[in-house]
């Protein structure tokens, strides 16, 4: 995975506009309303014609283009098409006084990042520019893995602080033989993390034995875990090795440990504390030498309070805890993951799909991903499978993304009757509202901490709160 070095903090916006009054609005918006990262400078370059804009693009690095549709000479739509042919990583915001559906659809079809109509509301304009800036940063700074480049963590791909913290904890856990508890939502890659720990540990040459605690019936779970001897119960016609014994000398991954029945929790605790176990029906104790990693998508502390999980087992498992962030909290990793899955399924299906359009990346980044990385993988698999050409477009992605029932209830289905640009705006607004509320809830209403986790300046985070949560009680 290669990361382009950042040599400065200057973000350059090219504004293509022949109306002096509108240029003034942009200047005031950038100076007074536009949030920016620490030490980040915004350089606004002005061109009155599309032909001049193309010359600027030849002479210097441009991170974002904002263009009027109606220009003297070459139109803004044609300029958009030229930019797309030149470098698809540059987001383009198209603006016009003509708020027709046809213009919006044409702009989006040609790859526009966003579509804005005049007259502008400065805070709204600043929010749109800021969103485009962050997408541009992702597209320019983070490149997909190059062919033949070693993948240190295989599919555990990302450059976000959250995933970097996880990889650091993986390395730390692998160096010591202590139990590890991996906590995360469904689809975040908990088994992948467990395998990464195993592959870096002293037990790497031993087996990696998965024990899925959700798959056993109540009557067979003890035999499945600990094995049994012949005659232990009706139907036990021979000795059987349990899953724990099969993992001796390697790593035992106890998936969804929160679903393990209480009677078995006590026996598992003995294995962890004493390093020994006994098969069902046997009087002989067997030594167990293995690394134990458990995973759960539940809050075990809450289960302990309800007496549904043993406190002593929880503390024994929780020697080293790794919390896996949901995908919605590390959106800068989405382009890397999407391109990784695109490459994988291109090879698997024997197809030639070598491009993920920037506008498609925009849709992927904006989506909340209730199913996390697993859902993203499934979407990219279907996108490659259904692709007719050599690229995955914005329309392809929109057609595949399906909101969960919860998300549909949160935002309603009335956006389906709106023009595309308005519908997209409504969906993004609903997502922003849920995202900001989630961050505030997570930090008990502390705006400073919520803004820091979101990666936004506090003043801008507060403006989003004012805008989207003003009706919240």
């Amino acid at each position: 995975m290669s990361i382009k070095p950042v040599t400065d903090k200057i973000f350059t916006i090219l504004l293509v506009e022949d109306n002096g009054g509108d240029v003034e609005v942009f200047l005031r918006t950038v100076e007074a309303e536009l949030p920016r990262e620490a030490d980040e400078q915004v350089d606004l370059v002005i061109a009155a014609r599309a032909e001049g804009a193309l010359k600027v693009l030849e002479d210097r690095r441009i991170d974002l283009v904002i263009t009027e549709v109606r220009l003297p000479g070459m139109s803004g739509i044609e300029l958009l098409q030229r930019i797309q042919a030149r470098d698809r990583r540059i987001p383009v915001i198209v603006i016009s006084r003509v708020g027709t559906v046809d213009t919006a659809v044409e702009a989006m079809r040609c790859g526009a990042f966003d579509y804005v109509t005049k007259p502008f509301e400065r805070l709204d304009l600043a929010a749109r520019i800021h969103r485009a800036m962050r997408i541009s940063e992702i597209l320019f700074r983070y490149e997909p893995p190059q062919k033949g480049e070693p993948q240190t963590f295989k599919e555990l791909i990302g450059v976000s602080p959250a995933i970097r913290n996880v990889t650091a904890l993986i390395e730390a856990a692998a160096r010591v033989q202590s139990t590890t508890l991996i906590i995360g939502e469904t689809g975040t890659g908990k088994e992948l993390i467990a395998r990464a720990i195993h592959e870096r540990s002293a037990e790497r040459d031993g087996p990696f034995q998965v024990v899925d605690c959700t798959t056993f019936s109540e009557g067979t779970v003890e035999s499945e875990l600990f094995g049994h001897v012949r005659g232990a119960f009706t139907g036990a016609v021979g000795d059987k090795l349990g899953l724990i014994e099969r993992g001796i000398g390697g790593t035992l991954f106890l998936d969804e440990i929160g679903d393990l029945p209480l009677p078995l929790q006590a026996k598992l605790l003995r294995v962890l504390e004493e390093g020994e176990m006994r098969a069902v029906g046997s009087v002989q104790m067997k030594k167990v030498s293995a690394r134990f990693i458990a995973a759960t998508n539940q809050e075990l502390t809450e289960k302990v309070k309800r007496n549904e999980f043993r406190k002593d087992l929880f503390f024994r498992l929780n020697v080293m805890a790794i919390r896996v962030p949901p995908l919605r909290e590390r959106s800068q990793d989405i382009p890397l993951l999407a391109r990784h899955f695109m490459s994988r399924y291109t090879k698997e299906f024997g197809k030639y799909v070598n491009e993920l359009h920037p506008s498609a990346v925009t849709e992927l980044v904006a989506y909340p991903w209730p199913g996390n990385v697993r859902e993203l993988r499934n979407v990219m698999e279907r996108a490659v499978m259904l692709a007719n050409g050599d690229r995955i477009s914005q329309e392809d992605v929109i057609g595949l993304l399906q909101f969960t029932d919860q998300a549909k209830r949160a935002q309603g289905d009335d956006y389906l009757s709106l023009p595309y640009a308005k519908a997209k705006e409504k969906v993004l607004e609903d997502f922003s509202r849920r995202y900001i509320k989630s961050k505030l809830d997570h930090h008990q209403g502390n705006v400073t901490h919520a803004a820091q986790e979101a990666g936004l300046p506090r003043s801008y985070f507060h403006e989003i709160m004012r805008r989207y949560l003003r009706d919240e009680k």
Side-chain angles (χ1 to χ4, degrees):
M1 182 183 307
S2 58
I3 304 176
K4 289 187 176 180
V6 181
T7 56
D8 53 49
K9 295 286 289 183
I10 299 176
F11 190 96
T12 305
I13 301 174
L14 172 59
L15 173 62
V16 191
E17 173 63 73
D18 64 336
N19 184 293
D22 290 327
V23 170
E24 282 296 320
V25 172
F26 274 98
L27 288 171
R28 290 196 300 270
T29 300
V30 170
E31 290 174 0
E33 305 288 351
L34 185 65
R36 57 201 72 189
E37 303 296 326
D39 302 324
E40 182 180 45
Q41 300 179 19
V42 177
D43 186 7
L44 189 61
V45 180
I46 312 295
R49 299 173 64 95
E51 293 82 358
L54 291 173
K55 183 67 168 61
V56 172
L57 286 164
E58 290 178 359
D59 294 340
R60 61 184 300 180
R61 155 80 177 266
I62 297 296
D63 300 293
L64 169 65
V65 175
I66 304 173
T67 180
E68 163 70 61
V69 169
R70 291 186 172 181
L71 294 168
M74 183 189 301
S75 72
I77 295 294
E78 187 177 350
L79 174 61
L80 165 64
Q81 293 170 328
R82 294 280 193 95
I83 294 171
Q84 290 289 293
R86 182 188 188 89
D87 190 342
R88 294 183 183 277
R89 294 174 301 174
I90 303 175
V92 179
I93 298 177
V94 173
I95 56 176
S96 177
R97 294 186 185 279
V98 184
T100 64
V101 174
D102 289 344
T103 307
V105 170
E106 177 67 9
M108 295 300 181
R109 188 185 67 79
C110 293
F113 173 83
D114 207 346
Y115 180 87
V116 187
T117 56
K118 300 177 183 179
F120 308 116
E121 198 278 309
R122 284 171 55 182
L123 182 60
D124 176 69
L125 179 61
R128 292 172 184 271
I129 294 173
H130 181 262
R131 188 165 62 230
M133 288 171 64
R134 300 287 74 88
I135 290 293
S136 175
E137 184 179 63
I138 291 171
L139 293 173
F140 272 104
R141 290 183 64 183
Y142 305 124
E143 296 288 350
Q146 300 299 312
K147 185 176 181 180
E149 185 176 346
Q151 292 296 295
T152 307
F153 284 89
K154 292 186 177 177
E155 291 183 13
L156 193 63
I157 293 169
V159 293
S160 64
I163 206 65
R164 287 182 184 275
N165 181 58
V166 169
T167 57
L169 290 172
I170 288 172
E171 298 286 6
R175 287 195 292 267
V176 294
Q177 195 184 47
S178 61
T179 53
T180 303
L181 180 62
I182 305 171
I183 308 161
E185 295 178 7
T186 299
T188 50
K190 297 186 289 295
E191 182 175 339
L192 186 68
I193 291 170
R195 287 186 182 275
I197 295 172
H198 169 72
E199 290 166 0
R200 286 159 179 75
S201 71
E203 294 78 25
R204 67 177 69 89
D205 294 328
F208 180 83
Q209 181 63 56
V210 178
V211 180
D212 187 347
C213 299
T214 66
T215 60
F216 306 124
S217 63
E218 190 171 342
T220 65
V221 62
E222 185 174 3
S223 173
E224 292 289 343
L225 282 177
F226 300 100
H228 62 253
V229 298
R230 181 181 178 184
F233 50 83
T234 303
V237 296
D239 293 351
K240 178 182 177 180
L241 288 179
L243 293 173
I244 290 179
E245 192 170 356
R246 292 178 187 174
I248 290 177
T251 297
L252 275 155
F253 175 53
L254 307 169
D255 197 14
E256 299 306 339
I257 189 69
D259 291 320
L260 190 67
L262 274 170
L264 271 296
Q265 292 179 23
K267 294 190 175 184
L268 177 61
L269 180 63
R270 180 180 180 85
V271 175
L272 294 173
E273 290 187 334
E274 305 297 334
E276 57 184 22
M277 54 156 280
R278 184 170 58 194
V280 178
S282 175
V283 296
Q284 182 181 1
M285 300 298 294
K286 293 182 179 179
K287 287 294 183 182
V288 177
S289 176
R291 173 183 293 270
F292 284 85
I293 302 175
T296 182
N297 62 5
Q298 306 175 57
E299 285 295 339
L300 294 185
T301 52
E302 295 300 317
K303 298 201 73 168
V304 169
K305 292 177 184 177
R306 298 193 301 267
N307 295 318
E308 296 173 357
F309 199 86
R310 291 181 63 104
K311 183 189 294 186
D312 47 6
L313 178 58
F314 169 69
F315 285 121
R316 189 66 182 80
L317 291 170
N318 199 39
V319 175
M320 176 170 282
I322 299 177
R323 285 195 172 269
V324 191
L327 189 56
R328 62 183 173 274
E329 292 182 6
R330 54 184 188 104
S331 59
Q332 57 263 64
D333 295 336
I334 292 173
L336 293 173
L337 286 162
R339 290 188 175 102
H340 166 75
F341 291 132
M342 181 180 72
S343 176
R344 179 217 278 186
Y345 291 116
T346 293
K347 295 174 184 175
E348 186 172 319
F349 299 144
K351 302 187 74 171
Y352 183 72
V353 181
N354 66 348
E355 182 186 349
L356 182 63
H357 197 281
S359 58
V361 174
T362 300
E363 300 294 340
L364 294 173
V365 171
Y367 183 68
W369 298 110
N372 292 294
V373 179
R374 183 180 299 156
E375 184 181 6
L376 174 59
R377 182 193 65 200
N378 293 340
V379 166
M380 294 310 299
E381 180 181 9
R382 294 198 300 272
V384 174
M385 185 185 302
L386 299 173
N388 292 320
D390 61 355
R391 74 170 181 168
I392 295 172
S393 68
Q394 182 181 36
E395 290 78 10
D396 295 332
V397 169
I398 291 172
L400 289 169
L401 291 179
Q402 298 294 325
F403 289 95
T404 61
D405 290 339
Q406 181 180 1
K408 286 181 180 177
R409 288 194 297 271
Q411 66 190 35
D413 288 335
D414 55 339
Y415 69 90
L416 296 174
S417 62
L418 298 174
Y420 177 82
K422 292 294 184 183
K424 179 180 177 182
E425 181 179 354
K426 176 175 173 53
V427 171
L428 289 175
E429 285 179 355
D430 290 335
F431 168 71
S432 298
R433 184 179 294 107
R434 294 197 306 275
Y435 181 87
I436 295 299
K437 191 174 186 304
S438 171
K439 293 299 179 193
L440 288 169
D441 290 344
H442 181 68
H443 291 281
Q444 292 78 50
N446 189 309
V447 177
T448 300
H449 292 167
Q452 288 173 348
E453 183 174 311
L456 296 173
R458 188 185 187 281
S459 59
Y460 185 59
F461 189 94
H462 196 273
E463 279 297 328
I464 299 176
M465 283 176 53
R466 183 189 66 78
R467 181 178 181 189
Y468 292 116
L469 302 183
R470 58 177 177 266
D471 296 327
E472 297 276 342
K473 299 295 183 183

